Amino acid sequence: MAPYESDDNATAADAEELRSARRRKAARYVVPATVVGIAAATIGLVPALADSGDPDLPKISAQELIEKIAASDVQQLSGTVKITTDLGLPDLGGLESSLGSAAGPSGSGDGSSADPSTKLTELASGTHTLRVAADGENRQKVSLLENAAEYSLIHNGKDVWGYDSKSNSVFHTTASESDGKQKEELPATPKDLAEEALKAADKTTSVTVDGTAQVAGRDAYRLVIKPKDEGSTVGQITVAVDSKTGLPLKFTLTPASGGSAVVDAGFTQVSFAKPAASTFDFTPPKGAKVEEGDAAKAPERSEGSERSEGFGKGSAPEPGKGGPEGLNVIGDGWDSIATFDTGGQGVPSGSEVGGDVGGFLDSLGDKVSGTFGEGTVFKTRLINALITDDGKVYVGAVTKDALVKAADAAK
């Protein structure tokens, strides 16, 4: 008799019991299979299923895609950006109130709550939503959306405004004129830019195109950048590049230690239509406190500072240019470590400081020792810094062991 074949002489009750048994037996296999299938799709074990919605675009090489990025000339856009930053810093807890009371009622120290130099540091942790708009080089607007409040940074011609609706405070300064010298130092054509990028990545970096994606309703290529150096804390960087305009639509940096992204920033909505001119208009609201900034005191970009942005080769500032006095760079590529001497003593231990601040220091730092002596490594999921007890600092997107090794070698 077949396993589920019923007896012709069976009663109606027997038949119903048999059907119930079949359903129970089927459920034993269907339910686990469904759970496993969902889990597999979620964590990427079934790439064919996970990538089923990706656009079918013409093949493109990494060099061609870099050329496409370099050639991108998007002047007008508007949209919404979601950015999540997870450096793995511990919860400040009571430390926030301790520092806040020390900073004063506004919690912002001496600076205005509308000053972008203090306000935009909020993007260094957590998840935030931004509205962005641009119309050429002289008109840009970024708004940080908060709970029942909004902070906007507006550049319109020579005027730069910062406005915090929560405190009804305004920061105003003027944009400095570019002298054009930096542009003269840069490669002249998109091809030159691509060649320079690939040349810099030749020894220490793998650059590939890994399929396609759809970001904010736009078809995009996925450019993947991976360090070859084992000592780097960077796992890989993925950039979703718009297939038509060459504009990067999404940037994701994952750490070598695994887990969630350290930085995940991307458009959730984007339009390349010209924004309305009124988008960039700003008049201080009635009753707002306006603080005037001094553009002359704004830090200027030093020669060679265009090389100090990013994570890859040449990411550390050149000695004596754009960094602390006496700055030196050890190594190259992703394993670069910047070092300088503070001329003082190292960081006190948490027990020496005491209280919430001391607990915070202990949660960040690991005591280490070597031929260099002793020191403390302050760690995040991306950037680590060793401060020795005699005041020397070693910092980079490298592991703790790499910092100790560098300090030993420099002794």
Side-chain angles (χ1 to χ4, degrees), residues 37-109:
I38 293 173
T42 302
I43 63 177
L45 294 180
V46 188
L49 177 61
D51 295 341
S52 60
D54 292 344
D56 184 13
L57 296 173
K59 297 294 183 181
I60 189 171
S61 69
Q63 179 166 346
E64 289 170 334
L65 189 52
I66 291 175
E67 289 178 5
K68 193 174 188 68
I69 296 172
S72 179
D73 189 30
V74 174
Q75 295 293 315
Q76 288 98 19
L77 67 80
S78 59
T80 304
V81 174
K82 181 179 179 181
I83 177 170
T84 298
T85 307
D86 180 12
L87 288 170
L89 294 172
D91 186 359
L92 296 182
L95 181 64
E96 288 184 331
S97 58
S98 299
L99 295 179
S101 60
S106 67
S108 57

Side-chain angles (χ1 to χ4, degrees), residues 60-72 189-201 205-209 221 223-225 239 241 246 248:
I60 189 171
S61 69
Q63 179 166 346
E64 289 170 334
L65 189 52
I66 291 175
E67 289 178 5
K68 193 174 188 68
I69 296 172
S72 179
T189 67
K191 183 178 180 181
D192 291 338
L193 287 166
E195 288 176 349
E196 288 298 318
L198 291 174
K199 185 188 302 180
T205 312
S206 165
V207 182
T208 59
V209 178
Y221 292 100
L223 185 69
V224 176
I225 304 164
V239 183
V241 183

Side-chain angles (χ1 to χ4, degrees), residues 286-364:
K286 184 178 180 179
K289 178 183 177 181
V290 180
E291 177 186 349
E292 290 290 338
D294 187 352
K297 293 181 180 179
E300 297 181 359
R301 292 185 66 180
S302 61
E303 180 185 356
S305 63
E306 68 274 4
R307 304 184 186 93
S308 67
E309 299 176 358
F311 300 92
K313 186 166 182 167
S315 62
E318 296 179 30
K321 297 181 179 181
E325 184 177 354
L327 179 70
N328 187 31
V329 178
I330 301 172
D332 60 6
W334 301 83
D335 283 348
S336 296
I337 297 173
T339 178
F340 59 94
D341 192 343
T342 64
Q345 296 181 344
V347 178
S349 66
S351 59
E352 292 174 332
V353 174
D356 292 329
V357 176
F360 179 66
L361 287 175
D362 281 343
S363 68
L364 279 179

Side-chain angles (χ1 to χ4, degrees), residues 232-298:
S232 175
T233 55
V234 177
Q236 73 175 40
I237 294 172
T238 304
V239 183
V241 183
D242 187 71
S243 62
K244 291 185 178 180
T245 67
L247 178 74
L249 298 174
K250 187 176 176 65
F251 174 97
T252 304
L253 188 156
T254 54
S257 58
S260 62
V262 173
V263 180
D264 187 21
F267 282 96
T268 58
Q269 182 274 327
V270 65
S271 169
F272 296 109
K274 181 183 176 72
S278 59
T279 302
F280 310 99
D281 293 339
F282 180 79
T283 301
K286 184 178 180 179
K289 178 183 177 181
V290 180
E291 177 186 349
E292 290 290 338
D294 187 352
K297 293 181 180 179

